[in-house]
């Protein structure tokens, strides 16, 4: 069996609050393989988004480890984690996180330029066409609808052909029809590019389209359901 593309090993996260120490995540362990589609589900405040940020190396666990393509993320310094993330991970935020002073094309070119790719403009143009935004290349985020901004964010995440795409409530800010289109694009790219898709969602219909569901309650992994996807 092949090595997991990403694995959480006894991940714990604690923070200090007015009452003492609050444990957000308790000994979370699981492994994901290439091409899996996985939904992380649970009530608000259960630790889902914190877990996703730790998987991306954007947040640091109090204890435990995450391995990305066999590399222990938290044995690396912040710069090395960022470099590995740039090569292996895409991240789609609910709030889009586009740079307002860059056009749609420039936002999608940015991760390629950071990797030193000479074909950044060509690849970014192609990817924006893939998500239906060929006519919006020169538009700044403030001139785009919410759905268009999320599609730019999706194009930016996928343009480096990441091994893993992490998405935090990617349709939470969108209307139903737009959200459905964004999710269809994500599942299409999961199938076509072989990217492992990991998403946090409150939507049971979206979760049911994934081949696997990780159920988080009170910061604990209480159930790991695997089965045929309904996509």
């Amino acid at each position: 069996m092949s090595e997991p593309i990403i694995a959480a090993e006894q991940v714990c996260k604690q923070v200090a609050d007015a009452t003492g120490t609050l444990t957000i995540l308790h000994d979370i362990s699981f492994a994901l393989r290439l091409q899996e589609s996985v939904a992380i589900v649970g009530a608000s405040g259960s630790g889902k988004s914190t877990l996703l940020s730790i998987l991306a190396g954007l947040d640091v666990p109090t204890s435990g480890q995450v391995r990305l393509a066999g590399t222990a993320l938290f044995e690396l310094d912040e710069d090395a984690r960022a470099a590995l993330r740039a090569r292996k991970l895409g991240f789609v935020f609910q709030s889009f996180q586009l740079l307002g002073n860059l056009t749609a094309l420039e936002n999608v070119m940015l991760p390629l330029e950071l990797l030193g790719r000479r074909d950044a403009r060509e690849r970014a143009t192609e990817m924006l066409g893939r998500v239906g935004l060929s006519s919006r290349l020169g538009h700044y985020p403030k001139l785009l609808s919410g759905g268009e901004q999320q599609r730019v964010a999706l194009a930016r995440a996928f343009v480096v052909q990441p091994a893993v795409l992490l998405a935090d409530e990617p349709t939470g800010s969108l209307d139903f029809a737009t959200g459905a289109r964004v999710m269809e694009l994500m599942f299409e790219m999961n199938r076509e590019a072989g990217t492992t898709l990991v998403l946090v969602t409150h939507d049971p219909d979206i979760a049911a389209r994934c081949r696997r569901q990780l159920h988080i309650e009170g910061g604990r992994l209480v159930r790991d359901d695997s089965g045929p996807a309904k996509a």
Side-chain angles (χ1 to χ4, degrees), residues 44-141:
S44 295
S46 60
K48 305 184 303 299
S49 292
T50 299
L51 175 58
L52 203 69
S53 292
I54 290 173
L55 293 179
L58 297 170
D59 195 0
V60 178
T62 305
S63 62
Q65 186 57 265
V66 172
R67 296 185 186 277
L68 174 59
T71 299
L73 279 180
F74 303 108
E75 291 179 3
L76 305 175
D77 63 24
E78 189 171 344
D79 288 343
R81 283 201 306 274
L84 180 61
R85 186 165 54 241
R87 297 193 305 272
K88 297 291 186 179
L89 281 178
F91 205 114
V92 178
F93 300 87
Q94 180 177 339
S95 55
F96 316 137
Q97 298 286 341
L98 300 178
L99 297 177
N101 62 328
L102 299 182
T103 64
L105 179 61
E106 290 166 342
N107 265 282
V108 180
M109 287 173 61
L110 184 60
L112 294 169
E113 292 176 327
L114 293 174
L115 292 172
R117 294 288 297 266
R118 295 184 177 183
D119 59 349
R121 180 173 294 273
E122 178 184 351
R123 288 185 58 80
T125 299
E126 179 183 350
M127 184 56 68
L128 283 165
R130 179 74 178 78
V131 298
L133 292 176
S134 293
S135 63
R136 296 287 192 269
L137 302 184
H139 287 61
Y140 291 92

Side-chain angles (χ1 to χ4, degrees), residues 17-231:
D17 66 6
T19 62
T21 300
L22 174 66
T23 300
I24 300 174
L25 297 173
H26 301 258
D27 291 317
I28 301 282
S29 296
F30 58 86
L32 308 178
R33 302 196 179 277
L34 279 172
Q35 302 184 6
E36 280 200 271
S37 56
V38 184
I40 300 175
V41 298
S44 295
S46 60
K48 305 184 303 299
S49 292
T50 299
L51 175 58
L52 203 69
S53 292
I54 290 173
L55 293 179
L58 297 170
D59 195 0
V60 178
T62 305
S63 62
Q65 186 57 265
V66 172
R67 296 185 186 277
L68 174 59
T71 299
L73 279 180
F74 303 108
E75 291 179 3
L76 305 175
D77 63 24
E78 189 171 344
D79 288 343
R81 283 201 306 274
L84 180 61
R85 186 165 54 241
R87 297 193 305 272
K88 297 291 186 179
L89 281 178
F91 205 114
V92 178
F93 300 87
Q94 180 177 339
S95 55
F96 316 137
Q97 298 286 341
L98 300 178
L99 297 177
N101 62 328
L102 299 182
T103 64
L105 179 61
E106 290 166 342
N107 265 282
V108 180
M109 287 173 61
L110 184 60
L112 294 169
E113 292 176 327
L114 293 174
L115 292 172
R117 294 288 297 266
R118 295 184 177 183
D119 59 349
R121 180 173 294 273
E122 178 184 351
R123 288 185 58 80
T125 299
E126 179 183 350
M127 184 56 68
L128 283 165
R130 179 74 178 78
V131 298
L133 292 176
S134 293
S135 63
R136 296 287 192 269
L137 302 184
H139 287 61
Y140 291 92
K142 66 181 180 180
L143 300 176
L144 300 173
S145 69
E148 288 171 335
Q149 289 185 60
Q150 190 63 298
R151 282 186 280 158
V152 173
L154 185 60
R156 181 182 60 186
F158 263 108
V159 75
V160 297
Q161 297 181 310
V164 181
L165 178 70
L166 306 175
D168 191 4
E169 294 284 0
T171 63
S173 300
L174 307 176
D175 62 71
F176 177 81
T178 304
R181 174 58 181 151
V182 166
M183 287 310 308
E184 196 58 46
L185 283 167
M186 293 182 73
F187 282 109
E188 282 177 16
M189 292 178 176
N190 163 248
R191 291 191 297 268
E192 293 173 10
T195 297
T196 299
L197 174 62
V198 185
L199 57 92
V200 164
T201 183
H202 284 95
D203 188 326
D205 292 331
I206 291 175
R209 295 187 63 181
C210 294
R211 290 192 177 275
R212 189 170 170 191
Q213 297 180 31
L214 302 177
H215 297 261
I216 307 294
E217 291 181 10
R220 300 180 187 276
L221 177 59
V222 297
R223 203 164 82 239
D224 183 346
D225 293 335
S226 297
K230 300 178 182 178

